């Protein structure tokens, strides 16, 4: 007898007979439709992950226990698929639920068409879906959506259709369940191992002989005074002497420069020496012969 597929509404739940399940996300690709990624979070009784290892996604596709894993994407006649597989019966008793989510980085879910989650018995490769839920964005701005959750009820498990969205993407979803997110990676800041930004190189490194920074320092910045290796004359203002002093025309000159015509000139030092043959002539009436 073929099991009947449950078409679920948001908030509804269904008991599961299968203890190992595949949760398949499917959507229709097309122009402008972003890629969708499936992920899973293993949640404890307090509503949070027990550690960061309880987050299964594209960068960590397999839980350390091996009981929850992300399968490769596939192209099917109905569209593209991304799958989470979970062995519920073998999970540690501290795991209270497994949240199945979808995220897209390029755009919001308003541009994702025909998003659906289908739940299958993992032991049956070609069996009918146990449950299907058509996921619709509530505001259109969501970049991550909880599609459904597998949760314990007594000795068994159930599946609930959720459809709760987050506008903060996979980072916001993970943080809400207690994942420690690296802020630098979450904000898409430059990776320290990545090639440095050329503009940053101009500011923080010494420019090479052919760099743009060197060209910018060599070319004049028009409209602003430029530094000069040799001072240029500031016309209209007294200049600083650069060599032998030049005559300041119209002003008295130093005595050593030229004779000041019309005034007594200083005599050479030899002119003041006494003449050894010099004799004073007789003077006065007392020296006259009678």
């Amino acid at each position: 007898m073929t099991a009947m597929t449950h078409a679920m509404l948001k908030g509804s739940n269904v008991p599961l007979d299968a203890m190992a399940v595949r949760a398949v996300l499917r959507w229709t690709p097309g122009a402008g439709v972003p890629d969708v990624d499936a992920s899973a979070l293993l949640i404890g009784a307090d509503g949070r992950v027990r550690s960061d290892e309880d987050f299964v996604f594209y960068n960590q596709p397999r839980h350390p226990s091996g009981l929850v894993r992300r399968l490769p994407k596939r192209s099917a006649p109905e569209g593209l698929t991304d799958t989470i597989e979970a062995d519920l019966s073998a999970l540690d008793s501290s795991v209270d639920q497994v949240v199945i989510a979808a995220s897209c980085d390029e755009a919001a879910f308003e541009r994702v068409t025909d998003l659906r989650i289908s739940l299958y018995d993992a032991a049956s490769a070609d069996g009918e879906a146990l449950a299907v839920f058509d996921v619709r964005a509530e505001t259109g701005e969501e970049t991550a959506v909880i599609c459904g959750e597998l949760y314990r009820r007594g000795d068994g498990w159930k599946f609930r259709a959720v459809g709760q969205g987050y506008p903060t993407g996979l980072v916001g979803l993970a943080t809400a369940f207690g994942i420690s997110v690296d802020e630098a990676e979450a904000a898409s800041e430059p990776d320290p191992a990545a090639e440095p930004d050329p503009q940053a190189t101009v500011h923080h490194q010494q420019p090479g002989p052919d760099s743009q920074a060197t060209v910018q320092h060599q070319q004049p910045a028009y409209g602003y005074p430029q530094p000069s290796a040799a001072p240029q004359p500031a016309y209209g203002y007294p200049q600083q002497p650069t060599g032998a002093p030049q005559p300041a025309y119209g002003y008295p000159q130093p005595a050593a420069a030229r004779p000041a015509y019309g005034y007594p000139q200083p005599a050479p030092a030899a002119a003041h020496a006494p003449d050894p043959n010099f004799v004073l002539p007789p003077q006065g009436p007392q020296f006259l012969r009678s």
Side-chain angles (χ1 to χ4, degrees), residues 136-243:
R136 295 182 176 86
E138 294 180 334
T139 67
E141 299 179 357
E142 297 90 344
T143 50
V145 177
I146 298 177
C147 299
E149 60 185 15
L150 303 160
Y151 63 98
R152 293 184 187 271
R153 186 59 73 225
D155 294 333
W157 288 78
K158 285 188 170 184
F159 176 73
R160 177 184 293 118
V162 180
Q164 177 183 350
Y166 291 79
T168 49
L170 193 61
V171 172
L173 171 67
T175 304
F177 285 99
I179 297 291
S180 300
V181 178
D182 187 338
E183 293 296 336
E185 295 181 0
S188 300
E189 294 180 356
D191 186 354
E195 183 178 350
D197 180 12
Q199 186 65 27
T201 303
V202 171
H203 289 305
H204 299 292
Q205 297 183 2
Q206 292 298 326
D210 297 327
S211 69
Q212 182 64 27
T214 303
V215 174
Q216 290 176 351
H217 285 299
Q218 291 173 346
Q219 300 299 325
Y222 298 103
Y224 294 89
Q226 306 307 312
S228 176
Q232 300 298 321
Y235 298 104
Y237 294 89
Q239 308 306 312
Q240 294 294 328
T242 56

Side-chain angles (χ1 to χ4, degrees), residues 48-69:
R48 299 170 65 86
V49 296
R50 300 165 303 169
S51 72
D52 290 353
E53 293 180 336
D54 286 342
F55 189 23
V56 177
F57 67 118
Y58 47 80
N59 282 345
Q60 185 172 271
R62 187 181 184 90
H63 189 266
S65 68
L67 301 176
V68 179
R69 60 195 181 107

Side-chain angles (χ1 to χ4, degrees), residues 12-284:
S12 63
N13 61 78
V14 60
L16 298 176
D17 295 329
M19 289 294 99
V21 298
R22 292 193 317 272
V24 180
L25 294 180
R26 189 215 71 193
W27 67 98
T28 302
V33 177
D35 194 28
V36 177
D37 295 299
S39 58
L41 297 103
L42 283 65
I43 308 300
D46 60 353
R48 299 170 65 86
V49 296
R50 300 165 303 169
S51 72
D52 290 353
E53 293 180 336
D54 286 342
F55 189 23
V56 177
F57 67 118
Y58 47 80
N59 282 345
Q60 185 172 271
R62 187 181 184 90
H63 189 266
S65 68
L67 301 176
V68 179
R69 60 195 181 107
R70 179 176 180 262
L71 302 182
K73 289 184 178 180
R74 289 187 175 183
S75 178
E78 300 83 8
L80 296 177
T81 65
D82 202 6
T83 302
I84 297 291
E85 191 171 78
D87 186 353
L88 302 176
S89 62
L91 281 177
D92 190 272
S93 59
S94 61
V95 178
D96 192 62
Q97 58 180 304
V98 178
V99 171
I100 309 297
S103 63
C104 53
D105 296 330
E106 295 96 349
F109 270 98
E110 65 179 350
R111 299 175 63 178
V112 178
T113 55
D114 305 322
L115 181 63
R116 167 181 284 192
I117 181 170
S118 301
L119 203 64
Y120 294 87
D121 184 346
S124 176
D126 301 322
E128 293 291 327
L130 304 176
V132 296
F133 172 48
D134 292 328
V135 184
R136 295 182 176 86
E138 294 180 334
T139 67
E141 299 179 357
E142 297 90 344
T143 50
V145 177
I146 298 177
C147 299
E149 60 185 15
L150 303 160
Y151 63 98
R152 293 184 187 271
R153 186 59 73 225
D155 294 333
W157 288 78
K158 285 188 170 184
F159 176 73
R160 177 184 293 118
V162 180
Q164 177 183 350
Y166 291 79
T168 49
L170 193 61
V171 172
L173 171 67
T175 304
F177 285 99
I179 297 291
S180 300
V181 178
D182 187 338
E183 293 296 336
E185 295 181 0
S188 300
E189 294 180 356
D191 186 354
E195 183 178 350
D197 180 12
Q199 186 65 27
T201 303
V202 171
H203 289 305
H204 299 292
Q205 297 183 2
Q206 292 298 326
D210 297 327
S211 69
Q212 182 64 27
T214 303
V215 174
Q216 290 176 351
H217 285 299
Q218 291 173 346
Q219 300 299 325
Y222 298 103
Y224 294 89
Q226 306 307 312
S228 176
Q232 300 298 321
Y235 298 104
Y237 294 89
Q239 308 306 312
Q240 294 294 328
T242 56
Q246 299 298 320
Y249 299 104
Y251 292 89
Q253 306 307 312
R258 291 181 179 274
Y261 299 104
Y263 293 88
Q265 306 306 312
H272 298 279
D275 185 0
N277 300 318
F278 176 76
V279 178
L280 289 173
Q283 297 182 11

